[in-house]
């Protein structure tokens, strides 16, 4: 693997290169921004009137500036400058305008440079890392760490050593080693190799696929193949540069949040653009009419035409609201980050997984996290002064989590599941003698009974119904179930407490696991073998490489083995065998499930063996594992725990039956063993053996190879089998040859025949415990958990069910584009004829371009009725199931023509034929079953495929035929109506009822068909919880479609993958999770050496770089339960909505009080400084008090609305109705008390009581432009009346805020005492108002005035103080109606959330 002449970058040079590249990208971005013209900059700024993320635009500046100028003009044109407070108002408005402009400009600048500032901060840490860090190979992930789609790693030279470098850290000039079959991480240039491809750059995403020597030459004997070698290449570009560029370019394009949209529509459009001009014009009209017709009863013209209009719209001007909005957002984010820091370290109790409750309510312990306020204050100051660590301005975490409707996960392994599959079932065979020793059998067994048809010519009379145990012992299938320990990645235990009675059968399996599967000395050989067959499989586009090896140490430990068991063996050789699937079998193996096509790739049979020598005796042992088909071909006996017995054809079919059925949803590996009497030459260690496609003639005469077809009608008929069986003698273990050293491939292959079948182990990825709990929480919170799976429909649905996602109707959609499956053959055929240079290039760098044209033409000629699967070659880390694609087509059944292949036939005719049913795997240990079963385990037959019957159904059919009638002839003459759907005979307790996994609903397939479906059919694609066959591009586009239809998307994914950046940037917010790294063996850690916490490790730096586009990041050992964050965000958003709704109501009330006072010809009911007191002191205190509510568990049961139709006409009318009921009586009471007070004051000063008008005052007062003396001689009375009016408003505002404290509870259910902030602020505000009343009257009153507060009539005080007693019950009645309306809306929303009924649903 090492190339002595290559050394690559040093760590410091590479990190410095990365630092310079990222700095260069920041510099280029800054240059690009500076080149934007002023017009574009204005459009991108927060002052642009269409910017929904801002609450203060240039029209807001115009409103405030106009008000300030009008106040100054009004004061300057006045005859006497009695009201000096106008100057104070002017200065206050001017200062507020400047502050709002500064805050908005600062927020706009920080928002546009937020991500760039994040990168600059990271560059500082990177520079410190360059100075102090010295990375050694042991600090990188293990070199042979299994590949995972959640983690991007690349073999790279650093400091002269080959390390498993995170792809994010690759830089220009790095020397990488491309493994055969691997996708290139970036554009690179090959450094050495054959003349083919020299001088040509390898583009990013191309597959390195060199030619296998002499692969195209025909052969009929086992042939040695040289293992494919690694390809050293030089990286020509830093791959992470494009990620940084993507982040910087798309950072400002995230969707506007629901809260920002609501504030923009209500605060900007409805108030500033509609209500302010309307109020201003109406007030100007009314006061102009007053001046025209009642000039003696009003004040100076400047007051009527200027000052009163400014005062009327002053409450609606953006004064304190913009600053409050920004501060509350930052406060909520600081609090959320504090909760995040505390909640992620909360231990998750394993016992909580079983606590699934049907209650819809959450307990306070589930959602409330204790934290220290000093931490909130520290983070608030940090974000106020500059960029925060959670992208508070470009991706508002609080707003999005508070209104999230879809929670999307784009990675599985290490995120949703444990990184390694664990054993679920152990399969082995036992004989009658062993079974008789067991008094009871709790494990699953499938007995081969004497009533079954014999599968060969037996020495026993065919008519005898009993089988001779000497030749054919009755055998049983034993399947032991295992359960994964949820506390760890590898822990497991047997479900059957009496499993130890099978210990003799399990011991060989445990030893094989330790010597072969979990032997670290075989890691290099396994990797090389995997790479080789991944390229070899490209010869036929319908096949795929299959290797399945993961850690089973814990299973061996449960069986009883310790690590010391390996010390008595020395591994000497590693042997690999593989063969291609014949083109005929490949075509016939294309099966489809009911009502949808399943285009699949056939697995390449392979087997990897090790030769181990016992140190004590020197005996050689051969331990093999691989796919069941090729391994069974090499086996002649099985071990029942006590003796060896010959494998019959029926046994083989039972083994394959289990293998196929479990491979649908699990990862199944077969194991075998034999002692060796010959030594293996060391020269064969560097070779692999390829078997011919038709290998029946190369096996020993003891048996023929396993048929390509799993269930064959003739082989099931007891009269047609020709196999010869031996007595159960140990002699069959030894070869007929003498004990010499094996030198050539043929003898090496023969040495691997005559093995003993030990058993099989099925493995499965298990959902992590906190993920299962998270999904349950999301469901209760009406948040749709959506899994974007890179795997196919079958495997994705199986794992989704493990997580608890729905798997019924309308539950999943494949995003695999149909053009990706249709373009393949044409493009490949054209590439063959495009010239020698292109074919030469294809031989080195190709996804499957090295396919021989003659094979393609031959396949087309022979199998013209079969549709070829031509899906695009995936990366090595993608599982084989991702090659299964689901098409929306109807079921078509076929019958064979003269050539034995299919022509279209009527659906009423069903032909029973046999078929190879091999599973599909990849080096990522994932299998695909090539045909479907229904819930009873019955085979389902589709279009473009032959139709088949299971053995049990064939047997049932055979029993009804007359003796002597040929089976095939009888079947072809019958019209069988879907016998398949009625059989239960093949269902055992091992058969999952979930195997019929096809989605029968007519949902769109392919990302290009999602939008047309949503526009023309129904909205079911927005309601499903699973998307399969996903690529990063398709995932990003699907998230964009969801956002177009109002979904608020929170995306979680791996921050160890370089491919997730575009998806992260598309979502409303993204949360990065550091995945758990897969391990080749549990005894081999991911990183061998511990790392100093003060310095950055390669993995940590990789996480920090990929996390730049994420708002939050979880570590590997953190609890990813989002319930605390969502509850905190929802409570904060609801409190903010409540706060500004109450502020809007107060401001409208203040505005209407003045406007109605002008209509009723009253003197100014409030002065300018009174308005400033209300706007800047009273209203903010009462509004901000709404933020003091504790987190309410009830908020977690509310369904969030979509990010569309934010403020509808119905919502506006509803608000107007409830506002009128709440505040119109209060406005009337306040104005009535104002009139009564003025009347009483007038009676005190007027010489004739009859001269006092109830509205106009003393009509005999002739003071010019003085409001009949209220602004001159009798100003004390006017001031007292205004202060009484102000006191009443404050009192009524406090009473109204009491009803807003708990919006979803009436006072008799939950009082206001839970809100400590309101309990403190409301009494203090009333006290301050009393003090303000006294001081204002004392300061503004004239010394010689005969009017005092005592002159206020008692009736006015009684009316003012009695009204709150009536007001509070009235407000509670109104709130009761609001609660009923909200409950009705929530029920409808919850119903819509849980319903996926489209036009093709079954209801």
């Amino acid at each position: 693997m090492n190339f002595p002449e290559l050394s690559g970058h040093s760590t410091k040079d590479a990190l410095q290169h990365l630092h310079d590249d990222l700095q260069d990208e920041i510099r280029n971005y800054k240059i690009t921004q500076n080149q934007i013209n002023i017009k574009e900059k204005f459009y991108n700024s927060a002052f642009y009137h269409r910017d929904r993320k801002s609450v203060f635009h240039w029209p807001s500046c115009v409103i405030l500036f106009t008000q300030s100028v009008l106040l100054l003009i009004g004061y300057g044109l006045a005859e006497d400058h009695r009201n000096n407070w106008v100057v104070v108002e002017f200065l206050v408005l001017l200062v507020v305008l400047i502050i709002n402009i500064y805050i908005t400009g600062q927020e706009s600048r920080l928002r546009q440079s937020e991500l760039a500032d994040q990168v600059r901060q990271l560059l500082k840490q990177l520079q410190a890392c360059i100075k102090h860090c010295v990375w050694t190979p042991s600090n990188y992930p293990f070199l042979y760490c299994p590949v995972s789609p959640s983690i991007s790693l690349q073999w790279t030279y650093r400091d002269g050593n080959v390390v498993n470098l995170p792809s994010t850290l690759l830089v220009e000039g790095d020397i990488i080693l491309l493994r055969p079959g691997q996708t290139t991480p970036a554009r690179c240039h090959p450094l050495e190799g054959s003349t083919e491809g020299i001088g040509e750059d390898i583009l990013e995403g191309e597959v390195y696929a060199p030619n296998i020597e002499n692969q195209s030459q025909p052969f009929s004997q086992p042939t040695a193949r040289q293992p494919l070698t690694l390809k050293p290449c030089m990286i020509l570009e830093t791959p992470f540069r494009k990620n940084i560029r993507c982040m910087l370019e798309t950072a400002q394009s995230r969707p506007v949040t629901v809260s920002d949209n609501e504030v923009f529509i209500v605060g900007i459009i409805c108030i500033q653009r509609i209500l302010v001009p309307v109020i201003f014009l109406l007030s100007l009209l009314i006061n102009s009419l007053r001046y025209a017709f009642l000039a003696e009863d009003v004040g100076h013209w400047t007051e009527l035409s200027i000052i009163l209009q400014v005062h009327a719209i002053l409450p609606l001007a953006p004064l304190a609201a913009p600053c409050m909005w920004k501060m509350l957002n930052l406060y909520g984010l600081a609090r959320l980050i504090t909760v995040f820091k505390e909640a992620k370290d909360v231990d998750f109790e394993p016992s909580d997984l079983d606590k699934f409750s049907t209650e819809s309510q959450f307990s306070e312990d589930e959602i409330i996290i204790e934290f220290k306020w000093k931490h909130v204050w520290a983070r608030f100051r940090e974000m106020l002064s500059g960029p925060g660590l959670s992208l508070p301005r470009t991706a508002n975490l609080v707003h999005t989590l508070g209104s999230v409707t879809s929670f999307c996960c784009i990675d599985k392994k290490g995120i949703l599941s444990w990184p390694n599959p664990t054993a679920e079932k152990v399969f082995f065979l036992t004989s009658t003698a062993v079974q008789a020793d067991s008094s009871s059998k709790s494990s699953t067994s499938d007995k081969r009974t004497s009533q079954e048809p014999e599968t060969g010519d037996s020495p026993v009379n065919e008519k005898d119904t009993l089988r001779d145990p000497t030749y054919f012992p009755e055998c049983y299938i034993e399947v032991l179930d295992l359960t994964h320990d949820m506390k760890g990645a590898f822990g497991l235990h047997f479900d059957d407490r009496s499993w130890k009675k099978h210990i003799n059968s399990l011991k060989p399996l445990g030893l094989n696991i330790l010597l072969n599967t979990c032997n670290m000395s075989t890691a290099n050989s396994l990797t090389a073998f995997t790479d080789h067959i991944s390229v070899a499989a490209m010869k036929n586009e319908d096949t795929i490489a299959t290797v399945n090896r993961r850690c089973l140490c814990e299973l061996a430990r449960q069986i009883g083995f310790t690590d010391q068991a390996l010390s008595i063996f020395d591994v000497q050789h590693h042997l690999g065998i593989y063969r291609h699937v014949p083109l005929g079998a490949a075509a016939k193996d294309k099966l489809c499930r009911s009502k949808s096509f399943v285009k699949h790739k056939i697995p390449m049979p392979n087997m990897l063996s090790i030769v181990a020598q016992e140190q004590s005796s020197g005996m050689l042992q051969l331990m093999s594992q691989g796919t069941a088909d090729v391994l069974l071909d090499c086996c002649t006996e099985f071990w029942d725990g006590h003796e060896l017995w010959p494998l019959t054809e029926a046994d083989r079919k039972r083994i394959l039956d289990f293998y196929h059925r479990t491979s649908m949803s699990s990862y199944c590996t077969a194991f075998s063993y034999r002692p060796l009497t010959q030594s293996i030459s060391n020269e064969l260690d560097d070779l692999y053996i390829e078997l011919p496609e038709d290998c029946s003639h190369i096996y020993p005469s003891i048996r023929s190879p396993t048929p390509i077809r799993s269930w064959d009608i003739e082989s099931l008929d007891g009269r047609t089998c020709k196999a010869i069986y031996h007595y159960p003698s140990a002699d069959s273990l030894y070869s007929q040859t003498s004990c010499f050293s094996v030198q050539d491939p043929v003898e090496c292959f023969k040495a691997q025949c005559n093995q003993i079948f030990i058993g099989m182990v099925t493995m499965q990825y298990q959902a992590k415990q906190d993920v299962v709990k998270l999904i349950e929480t999301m469901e209760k919170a009406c948040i749709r958990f959506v899994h974007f799976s890179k795997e196919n429909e079958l495997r994705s649905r199986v794992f989704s069910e493990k997580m608890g996602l729905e798997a019924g109707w309308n539950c999943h959609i494949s995003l695999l584009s149909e053009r990706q499956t249709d373009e393949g053959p044409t493009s490949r055929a054209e590439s063959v004829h495009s010239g020698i240079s292109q074919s030469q290039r294809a031989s080195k760098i190709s996804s499957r371009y090295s396919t021989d044209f003659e094979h393609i033409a031959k396949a087309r000629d022979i199998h013209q009725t079969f549709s070829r699967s031509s899906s695009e070659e995936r990366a090595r880390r993608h599982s084989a199931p991702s090659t299964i694609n689901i098409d929306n087509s109807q079921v078509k059944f076929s019958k064979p023509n003269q050539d034995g292949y299919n022509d279209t036939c009527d659906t009423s005719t069903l032909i029973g034929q046999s078929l190879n049913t091999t599973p599909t795997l990849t080096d990522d240990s994932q299998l695909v079953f090539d045909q479907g079963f229904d819930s009873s385990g019955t085979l389902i037959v589709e279009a473009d495929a032959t139709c088949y019957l299971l053995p049990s159904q064939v047997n049932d059919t055979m029993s009804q035929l007359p003796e002597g009638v040929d089976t095939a002839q009888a079947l072809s003459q019958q019209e069988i109506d879907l016998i398949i759907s009625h059989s239960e005979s093949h269902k055992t307790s091992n058969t999952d009822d979930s195997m019929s996994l096809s989605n029968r609903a007519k949902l769109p397939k392919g990302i290009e068909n999602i939008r047309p479906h949503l526009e023309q059919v129904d909205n079911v694609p927005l309601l499903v919880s699973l998307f399969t066959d996903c690529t990063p591009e398709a995932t990003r586009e699907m998230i964009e479609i969801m956002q177009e239809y109002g979904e608020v998307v929170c995306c979680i994914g791996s921050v160890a993958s370089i491919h997730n950046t575009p998806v992260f940037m598309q979502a409303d917010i993204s949360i990065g999770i550091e995945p758990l790294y897969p391990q080749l063996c549990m005894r081999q850690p991911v990183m061998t050496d511990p790392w100093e916490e003060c310095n950055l490790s390669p993995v940590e730096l990789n996480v920090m770089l990929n996390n730049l586009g994420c708002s939050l990041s979880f570590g590997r050992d953190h609890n990813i339960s989002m319930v605390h964050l969502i509850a905190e965000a929802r409570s904060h958003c609801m409190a903010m909505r409540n706060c500004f709704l109450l502020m809007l109501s107060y401001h409208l009330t203040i505005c209407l009080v003045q406007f109605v006072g002008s209509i009723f010809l009253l003197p100014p009911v409030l002065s300018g400084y009174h308005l400033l007191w209300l706007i800047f002191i009273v209203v903010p205190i009462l509004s901000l008090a709404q933020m003091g509510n504790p987190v309410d568990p009830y908020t977690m049961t509310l369904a969030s609305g979509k990010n569309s139709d934010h403020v509808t006409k119905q919502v506006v009318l509803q608000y107007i109705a409830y506002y009128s009921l709440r505040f119109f009586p209060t406005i009337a009471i306040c104005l009535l008390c104002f009139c009564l007070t003025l009347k009483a004051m007038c009676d005190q000063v007027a010489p004739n009581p009859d001269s006092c008008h109830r509205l106009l005052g003393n009509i005999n007062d002739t003071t010019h432009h003085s409001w009949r003396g209220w602004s001159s001689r009798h100003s004390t009375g006017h001031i007292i009346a205004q202060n009484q009016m102000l006191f009443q408003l404050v009192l009524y505002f406090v009473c109204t805020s009491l009803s807003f404290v708990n919006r979803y509870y009436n006072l008799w259910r939950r009082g206001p005492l839970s809100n400590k902030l309101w309990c403190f602020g409301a009494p203090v505000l009333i006290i301050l108002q009393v003090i303000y009343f006294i001081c204002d009257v004392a300061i503004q009153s004239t010394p010689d005035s005969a009017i005092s507060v005592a002159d206020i009539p008692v009736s006015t005080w009684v009316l003012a103080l009695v009204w709150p007693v009536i007001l509070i019950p009235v407000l509670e009645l109104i709130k009761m109606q609001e609660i009923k309306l909200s409950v009705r809306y929530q029920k409808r929303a919850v119903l819509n959330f849980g319903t996926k009924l489209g036009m093709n649903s079954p209801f």
Side-chain angles (χ1 to χ4, degrees), residues 162-322:
V162 179
V163 298
N164 213 358
L165 183 74
S167 299
T168 307
L169 305 184
L170 288 172
V171 296
E172 182 181 354
D174 260 328
I175 306 300
I176 66 172
L177 294 178
L178 283 180
R179 295 164 58 181
Q182 178 189 352
T183 302
T184 54
R187 187 169 63 91
C188 56
H189 182 78
L191 295 181
E192 66 175 30
S194 61
T195 58
E196 293 179 283
I198 287 295
E200 296 184 3
D201 292 342
I202 306 175
L203 302 180
E204 179 183 358
E206 288 188 313
V207 178
Y208 171 55
N211 281 333
I212 298 177
E213 184 179 1
N214 300 324
Q215 184 180 19
S216 60
Q217 297 181 1
F219 62 98
S220 60
Q221 292 296 322
T223 304
R225 301 298 186 192
Q226 289 289 342
L228 298 176
T229 58
L230 304 174
K231 184 71 172 179
C233 297
M234 177 180 290
I235 294 292
L236 300 180
E237 60 183 5
T238 303
F240 193 67
R241 291 190 67 159
K242 67 175 184 179
N243 290 51
I244 287 292
R245 198 177 305 124
C246 172
M247 294 179 192
L248 295 174
E249 292 174 353
T250 60
Q252 308 300 322
S253 60
R254 291 185 189 261
V256 183
T257 64
V258 174
S259 298
D260 284 334
N261 276 317
E262 291 176 348
V263 169
F264 180 82
I265 293 175
V266 175
I268 304 300
I269 296 180
C270 295
I271 295 180
Q272 294 185 21
R273 300 182 186 177
I274 298 177
L275 203 55
V276 167
V278 169
I279 295 295
F280 183 87
L281 293 176
L282 289 179
S283 179
L284 179 62
L285 175 63
I286 292 172
N287 289 319
S288 298
L289 293 176
R290 290 176 67 183
Y291 187 79
F293 295 101
L294 300 172
E296 299 296 328
D297 300 321
V298 296
H300 192 263
W301 69 271
T302 57
E303 189 173 5
L304 257 70
S305 59
I306 298 178
I307 304 298
L308 288 183
Q309 275 62 254
V310 172
H311 287 173
I313 64 173
L314 190 61
L316 302 180
L319 298 174

Side-chain angles (χ1 to χ4, degrees), residues 257-259 396-408 778 781-785 1042 1046-1052 1067-1069 1071 1122 1125-1127 1129-1130 1133 1137 1195-1196 1198-1203 1393:
T257 64
V258 174
S259 298
N396 195 309
L397 188 65
V398 178
H399 288 183
T400 305
L401 284 182
S403 57
V404 62
T405 59
S406 296
F407 200 83
C408 302
M778 295 295 171
C782 292
I783 300 174
R784 198 175 311 282
F785 188 93
M1042 295 167 68
E1047 298 291 335
V1048 181
V1049 180
C1050 174
C1051 176
I1052 63 172
D1068 292 75
I1069 62 167
I1071 299 177
M1122 298 290 297
L1125 299 181
I1126 295 176
R1130 282 191 175 186
C1133 287
R1137 187 177 288 108
T1195 60
M1196 286 298 294
L1198 301 178
S1200 300
K1202 289 193 174 184
N1203 196 6
F1393 171 80

Side-chain angles (χ1 to χ4, degrees), residues 367-378:
I367 64 173
I368 295 179
I369 291 291
E370 300 294 334
F371 56 86
K372 296 181 179 179
W373 285 101
K374 64 179 182 179
H375 295 160
V376 178
W377 174 244

Side-chain angles (χ1 to χ4, degrees), residues 1017-1146:
V1017 185
D1018 53 40
N1019 68 334
V1020 171
L1022 302 176
L1023 306 178
V1024 301
S1025 295
L1026 176 62
F1027 292 94
T1028 64
D1029 305 298
C1030 297
T1031 62
E1033 295 77 15
T1035 301
R1036 189 206 60 77
E1037 187 172 354
M1038 187 62 220
I1039 291 178
E1040 182 181 2
I1041 293 173
M1042 295 167 68
Q1043 292 168 336
E1044 292 173 359
Y1045 284 85
E1047 298 291 335
V1048 181
V1049 180
C1050 174
C1051 176
I1052 63 172
S1054 169
V1055 288
S1057 174
I1058 196 174
H1059 306 290
N1060 287 340
T1061 297
V1063 183
F1064 283 159
M1065 298 307 297
Q1066 179 63 48
D1068 292 75
I1069 62 167
S1070 300
I1071 299 177
I1073 300 180
E1074 184 181 4
L1076 297 170
Y1077 280 65
Q1079 297 171 246
L1080 191 60
C1081 181
M1082 62 183 296
R1083 295 170 295 178
Q1084 174 64 44
V1086 177
M1087 267 73 70
T1088 55
D1089 283 357
W1091 187 252
E1092 299 179 6
E1093 295 183 1
C1094 59
N1095 296 323
L1096 290 176
S1097 69
V1099 172
E1100 290 172 340
L1101 181 58
N1102 174 45
V1103 168
M1104 293 177 64
L1105 288 170
N1106 289 317
N1107 193 47
L1108 284 172
C1110 299
S1111 299
L1112 294 177
S1113 179
F1114 286 96
R1116 284 184 249 171
D1117 54 347
H1118 292 157
N1119 176 18
I1120 65 171
S1121 175
M1122 298 290 297
V1123 60
H1124 307 96
L1125 299 181
I1126 295 176
E1128 188 70 35
R1130 282 191 175 186
S1131 295
H1132 186 83
C1133 287
M1134 291 180 63
M1136 283 185 63
R1137 187 177 288 108
N1138 204 25
C1139 168
F1140 285 94
L1141 183 63
L1142 187 61
M1143 176 183 286
L1144 173 63
S1145 301
Y1146 287 161

Side-chain angles (χ1 to χ4, degrees), residues 809-1020:
W809 284 84
N810 297 340
C811 63
H812 62 89
I813 291 176
S814 172
L815 296 185
L816 184 66
S817 176
E818 292 183 354
R819 58 176 175 266
Q820 295 178 4
T821 61
D822 295 338
E823 293 174 355
T826 303
S827 62
R828 292 189 176 96
E830 292 173 353
S831 67
V832 175
H833 296 283
S834 61
I836 298 176
S837 60
Q838 183 172 353
S839 64
Q840 288 176 346
R841 172 176 175 80
S843 66
K844 300 298 291 182
I845 307 298
S846 171
S847 59
R848 207 181 289 274
Y849 294 101
S850 59
T851 305
D852 188 74
F853 181 75
E854 285 77 11
H855 287 285
I856 299 177
K858 180 179 178 181
R860 285 198 186 131
D861 294 338
I862 298 179
H863 313 294
Q864 52 186 329
T865 60
F866 293 90
S867 61
R868 180 180 298 276
S869 171
S870 56
S871 62
E872 181 180 333
E873 174 68 23
R874 300 295 182 92
R876 290 162 45 83
R877 70 195 56 178
H878 290 176
S879 61
S882 62
T883 62
I884 289 186
N885 311 318
I886 308 304
D887 292 335
N888 268 334
S889 303
Q890 298 298 325
V891 180
K892 295 184 297 181
F893 293 96
S894 304
K895 62 183 178 181
N897 56 19
Q898 294 178 355
D899 298 329
Y901 297 99
N902 291 5
D903 295 328
T904 304
C905 70
D906 188 79
T907 58
S908 61
T909 304
L910 186 64
I911 307 301
Q913 292 184 345
S914 61
L915 178 72
N916 176 31
T917 54
T918 52
T920 301
L921 306 83
T922 64
D923 58 324
D924 198 20
S925 309
Q926 298 195 346
L927 293 83
V928 178
F929 194 52
D930 294 335
Q931 61 191 28
F933 288 87
D934 66 4
S935 59
S936 64
T938 304
L939 181 64
I940 298 176
V941 184
E942 302 295 337
D944 281 349
T946 48
C947 306
Y948 307 98
L949 296 177
L950 292 181
S952 57
Q953 297 162 333
V954 176
N955 297 336
D956 294 340
T957 306
M958 297 306 100
S959 62
Q960 300 175 10
L961 297 179
E963 185 176 357
V965 177
D966 182 72
T967 300
Q969 180 183 2
L971 285 176
S972 63
Q973 293 174 354
Q974 290 183 344
E975 293 187 354
I976 307 173
D977 298 329
L978 288 177
I979 302 176
I980 294 172
S981 60
H982 303 295
S983 175
E984 294 282 345
S985 61
H986 226 68
K987 179 178 178 181
T988 67
S989 56
N990 295 325
T991 307
D992 293 333
D993 290 337
S994 61
M995 288 184 179
S996 178
L997 297 177
S998 63
N999 189 4
R1000 294 178 175 87
K1002 290 184 180 179
L1003 295 179
K1005 178 185 181 296
I1007 187 63
E1008 71 279 2
N1009 296 319
I1010 299 296
R1011 282 190 176 92
H1013 185 95
L1014 291 171
E1015 295 169 357
Q1016 304 170 11
V1017 185
D1018 53 40
N1019 68 334
V1020 171

Side-chain angles (χ1 to χ4, degrees), residues 356-418:
F356 292 107
S357 174
T358 58
E359 297 292 332
S360 60
Q361 294 291 335
F362 290 80
S363 65
E364 292 186 359
D365 295 337
E366 288 183 88
I367 64 173
I368 295 179
I369 291 291
E370 300 294 334
F371 56 86
K372 296 181 179 179
W373 285 101
K374 64 179 182 179
H375 295 160
V376 178
W377 174 244
R379 292 186 174 93
F380 175 78
R381 288 184 301 169
E382 177 185 353
M383 288 183 289
L384 187 63
S385 59
L389 297 178
S390 58
L391 305 178
R393 294 168 178 87
T394 55
N396 195 309
L397 188 65
V398 178
H399 288 183
T400 305
L401 284 182
S403 57
V404 62
T405 59
S406 296
F407 200 83
C408 302
C409 184
I410 59 176
D411 289 298
K412 167 189 170 183
K413 298 175 184 177
I415 303 292
L416 299 178
S417 71
W418 292 101

